[in-house]
Structures are given as C-alpha cells and as structure tokens.
Amino acid sequence: MYHYSWHQSSNVSRQKYTCGFCSSIVSPDHGYQTANGVGHTARIYICPNCGCPTFFGADKKQVPAIRLGNEVKGITDEHVQSAYNEARDCSGCGAYSGSVLLCRKLLMNIAVNHGAKAGESFSYYIDYLESNGFVPPNGKAWVDVIRKKGNEATHEIPIMSSADAQQVLHFTEMLLRFIYEFPSMIPQENTLQ
C-alpha cells in the first residue's frame, strides 16, 4: 500500500483521459501531485467539464475508470434501468464479474417487464424473450453470450475479465436498444393500432 501526502493544487504534467464521471475526453494540466518518497508519483486531476476528481496512481491506473457501455434511452422500467446502470458502474470500478452477472439478471428483468411471470426459471425467461419477439433476428447469439458468460460468472471459479464485461455489456446494450430505445423513437401516432 502506498502512502501519499497531498498538498495544494498546482500545475502538473498534462494527462489526457476520459472522465469516469461525465465521459468527456479531457486533458487538464492542473491538479494535485505527490510522491511517496520511493519514486511512486500519483496525481489527481480535476475534470474541467464536470469538476470531479480522477486519481492516477503509481501504476497509472485511473480511478474511477471509464464505465463500459453507453447510455440507452427509452427504458421505461426502473428495475431494468437500475440494473443496466449498476452493470456499467461495476465495469468502471473493475468489478467485471459483477457487471456480467447483472447483465444476465437483466434478461430476467426485461422478460418480466414485458409480461413474463415472476418467479420462474432462468431458461423460462430466455424462452419468453425469444418466443415473444424481443430478440432480434440474429440476436439469439447475443443472448446466448450474455447467458453463457453469466453462467460462468455464477458457477465457475475464474473471475470475468474486462474483455468479458465489455462483450457482455455491448450485447446487452444492443438488446436494450432493440427492445426499448428504437421503439421509443417512433411517435405514438405512427404506431399500428
């Protein structure tokens, strides 16, 4: 464990990064810098866009890290929205297994939000999504990746990697866009009665 002593803000070497709070690409040259006496330098940069701090330790690791995935509009169910946000938050702090597990859980939440009976088996929810048109053509493979990686995270010893979380979040995002965002973009007067 490193021990750092922080002092007043000053000019520091410029660092380009994506802010983990507002997702802006920034390159501030003002912040806090310290060394722990054995050559480990750390810096805290203040995002010029949102004003939030980002820490870069001696290992150059960014905290908070960039959240994987993107915002999806049109999600009408608070449980689905919360679970998706939490999956993204987990990825931003390096909790990749948690991120993958939440994406698996999202499949159940989506099915229940669209009429599936609560309290059923996980396979019931997958079948429900597929048989009721919530999985796009060629999207069965997306759901299968989310399901399989989620099962690995649940039942296997190895933890999930950043690449695993990125893949699963990407497929989850596309599924959410198909089910929620794209339909929300159609004006109500244009829907078929």
Side-chain angles (χ1 to χ4, degrees), residues 28-86:
D29 62 355
H30 200 77
Y32 301 88
Q33 177 174 302
T34 189
N36 68 356
V38 291
H40 294 114
T41 300
R43 293 182 177 91
I44 296 174
Y45 292 94
I46 307 302
C47 175
N49 185 56
C50 70
C52 291
T54 299
F55 173 82
F56 287 89
D59 60 359
K60 306 297 183 209
K61 185 176 177 181
Q62 177 180 333
V63 178
I66 304 162
R67 294 168 73 203
L68 299 175
N70 297 292
E71 181 183 339
V72 176
K73 296 182 186 331
I75 298 175
T76 54
D77 183 75
E78 68 179 89
H79 299 292
V80 172
Q81 185 68 64
S82 293
Y84 180 60
N85 288 341
E86 190 174 336

Side-chain angles (χ1 to χ4, degrees), residues 5 14-15 59 74 103 112 122 134 141 148 152 185:
S5 176
R14 188 174 292 277
Q15 174 74 36
D59 60 359
C103 288
V112 170
F122 186 71
F134 294 106
K148 284 181 179 177
E152 285 177 36
M185 295 168 67

Side-chain angles (χ1 to χ4, degrees), residues 14 18 35 48 51 53-54 57 59 70 77 97 103 105 112 124 134 138 146 153 156 159 168 192:
R14 188 174 292 277
T18 300
T54 299
D59 60 359
N70 297 292
D77 183 75
S97 293
C103 288
K105 177 181 173 50
V112 170
Y124 165 83
F134 294 106
N138 299 321
I146 298 166
E156 303 294 329
I159 61 170
V168 170
L192 297 175

Side-chain angles (χ1 to χ4, degrees), residues 6-45:
W6 301 98
H7 302 287
Q8 291 185 343
S9 66
S10 62
N11 288 335
V12 293
S13 60
R14 188 174 292 277
Q15 174 74 36
K16 182 178 180 181
Y17 65 95
T18 300
C19 178
F21 292 97
C22 70
S23 301
S24 295
I25 298 172
V26 296
S27 183
D29 62 355
H30 200 77
Y32 301 88
Q33 177 174 302
T34 189
N36 68 356
V38 291
H40 294 114
T41 300
R43 293 182 177 91
I44 296 174
Y45 292 94

Side-chain angles (χ1 to χ4, degrees), residues 106-108 110-111 114 122-147 171-172 174-180 182-183:
L106 264 165
L107 296 175
M108 176 187 69
I110 293 166
H114 285 86
F122 186 71
S123 62
Y124 165 83
Y125 297 119
I126 300 300
D127 292 341
Y128 185 90
L129 290 172
E130 290 175 1
S131 63
N132 286 282
F134 294 106
V135 177
N138 299 321
K140 188 173 180 345
W142 304 349
V143 173
D144 211 36
V145 167
I146 298 166
R147 180 187 62 79
F171 289 143
T172 301
M174 291 303 109
L175 192 62
L176 291 170
R177 288 189 191 288
F178 179 78
I179 295 171
Y180 293 99
F182 295 145

